[in-house]
Amino acid sequence: MKFYPEHVDGYVQDATEQFRSEAGDYHHYYQLQCHCGSKCFQLSQSNRSSVNAFCDRCGHTLVVYDLAHYPAASKIAGEEEFKPLTLPNRSGVEAFVFIMYEYGELDDDQEFDRNDITWCQVFLADGSGGFVRIFDDETA
């Protein structure tokens, strides 16, 4: 079973090993990888809580998180404006991106919907083997 939203299908690799103490039945961790093979991205966040990743190698833009894709979420209407998301003191630097998607517990009469995430966190590798959380949003 795929525990990530459809919009990142083909762009994520399991990263459970790197987040072993946090991963579990409801929290699933992935590393972003572009279809060109690159794992380095620049991120941007909108004023409407969307996060996009831009691959410098091929120019592909990928939606990492967007409330419009999740059935339990409501997105505020209006034009989105994006600003770069970076590690502190590292303006505009591409980085390895890791994502956590949370899924809530299902009721007996519910079927699993891979787009029905309840929480998303985005991390950047800090260059010393650790991670810095740069985005944190609950969808519900």
Side-chain angles (χ1 to χ4, degrees):
M1 188 173 298
K2 297 177 181 177
F3 291 102
Y4 51 82
E6 289 178 15
H7 61 82
V8 295
D9 204 5
Y11 294 96
V12 292
Q13 293 183 325
D14 184 55
T16 303
E17 273 303 304
Q18 291 94 328
F19 294 89
R20 192 175 316 132
S21 63
E22 292 91 6
D25 291 342
Y26 303 107
H27 300 101
H28 306 276
Y29 290 83
Y30 300 95
Q31 182 174 10
L32 207 57
Q33 179 175 332
C34 188
H35 58 82
C36 73
S38 177
K39 292 183 180 181
C40 291
F41 293 87
Q42 291 187 31
L43 295 175
S44 59
Q45 180 180 354
S46 81
N47 57 336
R48 305 283 187 253
S49 294
S50 296
V51 176
N52 289 338
F54 176 79
C55 177
D56 278 340
R57 182 189 290 174
C58 73
H60 181 72
T61 298
L62 172 67
V63 173
V64 173
Y65 180 77
D66 187 335
L67 292 170
H69 291 273
Y70 315 128
S74 298
K75 186 169 182 169
I76 298 170
E79 189 172 331
E80 285 189 289
E81 297 176 19
F82 285 85
K83 293 183 180 177
L85 269 176
T86 60
L87 282 171
N89 304 320
R90 284 182 51 192
S91 177
V93 175
E94 62 183 23
F96 294 125
V97 178
F98 295 83
I99 309 161
M100 183 281 295
Y101 292 113
E102 177 190 77
Y103 290 87
E105 190 171 354
L106 296 176
D107 294 333
D108 291 338
D109 61 341
Q110 285 182 302
E111 284 189 37
F112 177 74
D113 177 351
R114 65 192 274 202
N115 293 318
D116 196 11
I117 67 169
T118 56
W119 188 16
C120 177
Q121 293 181 331
V122 179
F123 305 85
L124 295 181
D126 68 6
S128 66
F131 303 95
V132 176
R133 184 177 60 219
I134 61 165
F135 178 80
D136 188 346
D137 193 59
E138 289 190 56
T139 61

